[in-house]
C-alpha cells in the first residue's frame, strides 16, 4: 500500500497508492485510525460529501448556530439503516440513510439543516460497493439540500457485520407557530395519505435470495421535506400530526398516533391507494400492504375544515400526486384503529406483530 517512489530524481518516502475501487476490499486497517483510514476518508468520503464544514477536518463540525425567530425551535433526529439487500430497485442503503433522517426531521415540521453519518463496515466489503453507497448518499444529500458535515467510520471483523451499516443524525429548525406531534390528533380530524403504499417493502423483498421474483416495482424512497413545507404553507396551523409509515407500515403508524392522541380511527379501505403490482405481490406472498414499509410517503392528520386545501397542496407536489383522504379520527377509549372494508364490513387494523419484513430500512 505504501513505499518509496522516485520523483524528479529524488526519493519521496511513504508514497501511497490510490485505493483500488475496482477490485479492492475493506480491511481492518481502514478502521484503525492510521494512514489507511485517512486515505479512505480523503479519497472516498471527503471527495463525495465535500462541503465547507466537512473540509474543516476536525472531529466535529463547528458552525454558528442558526438565527432563530422568536418561538422557533431546534429538532434533532437519528436513525440506523440496516437494509438487506443493500441495493434494490429504486435505491440503496446510501440514499435511504439520507432520506430517512431528513424525513424524520420533516415529520416534526422542521426545515432540515445538517446531517452526520456513521459507517460500520465489514472486513472484506468491496470498495466498489462502498463507493456506490457513498456516492448515492452524496447525490441524495445534494438533491435534498442538506449537507453531511461530519461523520465516523469503523471496521468490524469479517462475519460480524453485514457489509455496511449506516447511522445518520440530523439537525433542523421548526418555525414559530408550527406544533406537530403524535399527541395532537383530535376527534373529527381527517387522515391524509400522500400516495400509494408498499412499494419500498415489495422492492426490497423482490431481491431477497430466498424470495426473488420479477417485478417492475421500485422503492419510493425520497426526501419529503419540500412536500411538508408546501403543506404547512398552504394550511398554516391545520396539520396536527405528520408521520412517515416506515417499519410496520401505515397500520402500525396509525396505531402509534391513536395511542399517543388517546383517540381512535376509522379508515376506508377503498380510499387507500395501492398499486396493482403491489397488491398482486402481497397476495402472492400472503402479506397485507398496510403493514409494508414505505420510504417516500407520509401520513397527515389535519383539521377537517382544511382538508380540501391540504389535499390540493399535496397533489400539486410531485411526491403527493396521488394523495387521498383515507379516514377520520374518532372518539374511542380503547384507541382502536378500524377499517370499513370494500365489502361493507368493518375489521380491526392492529399493530404489526413480529417481523413481517426483516431488515427493511
Amino acid at each position: 500500500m505504501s513505499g518509496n517512489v522516485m520523483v524528479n530524481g529524488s526519493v519521496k518516502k511513504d508514497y501511497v497508492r490510490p485505493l483500488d475501487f475496482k477490485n479492492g476490499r475493506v480491511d481492518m486497517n481502514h478502521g484503525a485510525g492510521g494512514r489507511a483510514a485517512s486515505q479512505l476518508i480523503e479519497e472516498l468520503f471527503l471527495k463525495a460529501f465535500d462541503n465547507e464544514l466537512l473540509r474543516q477536518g476536525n472531529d466535529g463540525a463547528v458552525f454558528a448556530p442558526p438565527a432563530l425567530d422568536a418561538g422557533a425551535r431546534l429538532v434533532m433526529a437519528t436513525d440506523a439503516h440496516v437494509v438487506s439487500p443493500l441495493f434494490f430497485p429504486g435505491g440503496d442503503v446510501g440514499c435511504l440513510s439520507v432520506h430517512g433522517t431528513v424525513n424524520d426531521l420533516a415529520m416534526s415540521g422542521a426545515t432540515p439543516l445538517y446531517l452526520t453519518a456513521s459507517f460500520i463496515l465489514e472486513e472484506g466489503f468491496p470498495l466498489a460497493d462502498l463507493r456506490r453507497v457513498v456516492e448515492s448518499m452524496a447525490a441524495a444529500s445534494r438533491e435534498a439540500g442538506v449537507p453531511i458535515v461530519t461523520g465516523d467510520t469503523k471496521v468490524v471483523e469479517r462475519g460480524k457485520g453485514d457489509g455496511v451499516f449506516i447511522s445518520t443524525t440530523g439537525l433542523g429548525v421548526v418555525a414559530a407557530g408550527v406544533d406537530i406531534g403524535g399527541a395532537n390528533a383530535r376527534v373529527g380530524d381527517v387522515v391524509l395519505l400522500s400516495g400509494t403504499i408498499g412499494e419500498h417493502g415489495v422492492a426490497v423483498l423482490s431481491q431477497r435470495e430466498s424470495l426473488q421474483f420479477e417485478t417492475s416495482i421500485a422503492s419510493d424512497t425520497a426526501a419529503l421535506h419540500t412536500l411538508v413545507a408546501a403543506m404547512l404553507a398552504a394550511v398554516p396551523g391545520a396539520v396536527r400530526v405528520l408521520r412517515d409509515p416506515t417499519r410496520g407500515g401505515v397500520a402500525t403508524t396509525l396505531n402509534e398516533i391513536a395511542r399517543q392522541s388517546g383517540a381512535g380511527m376509522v379508515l376506508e379501505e377503498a380510499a387507500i391507494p395501492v398499486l396493482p403490482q403491489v397488491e398482486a405481490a402481497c397476495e402472492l406472498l400472503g402479506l397485507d400492504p398496510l403493514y409494508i414499509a414505505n420510504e417516500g410517503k407520509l401520513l397527515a392528520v389535519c383539521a377537517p375544515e382544511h382538508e380540501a386545501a391540504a389535499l390540493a397542496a399535496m397533489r400539486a407536489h410531485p411526491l403527493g400526486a396521488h394523495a387521498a383522504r383515507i379516514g377520520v379520527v374518532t372518539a374511542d377509549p380503547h384507541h382502536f384503529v378500524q377499517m370499513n372494508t370494500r365489502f361493507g364490513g368493518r375489521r380491526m387494523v392492529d399493530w404489526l406483530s413480529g417481523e413481517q419484513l426483516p431488515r427493511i430500512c
Side-chain angles (χ1 to χ4, degrees), residues 200-241:
H200 175 71
V202 171
V204 172
L205 188 62
S206 72
Q207 300 301 301
R208 294 275 167 83
E209 290 185 5
S210 58
L211 289 172
Q212 284 183 330
F213 55 89
E214 292 293 330
T215 180
S216 60
I217 300 167
S219 171
D220 62 344
T221 182
L224 296 168
H225 59 305
T226 57
L227 172 60
V228 170
M231 295 169 63
L232 299 184
V235 287
V239 178
R240 308 198 207 277
V241 183

Side-chain angles (χ1 to χ4, degrees), residues 1 16 19 27-41:
M1 187 172 184
V16 179
L19 290 173
D27 62 42
M28 296 303 297
N29 290 326
H30 289 126
R35 189 186 303 278
S38 178
Q39 183 184 18
L40 183 66
I41 291 170

Side-chain angles (χ1 to χ4, degrees), residues 164-181:
V164 56
F165 299 150
I166 305 175
S167 293
T168 45
T169 297
L171 176 69
V173 175
V174 179
V178 175
D179 179 19
I180 293 174

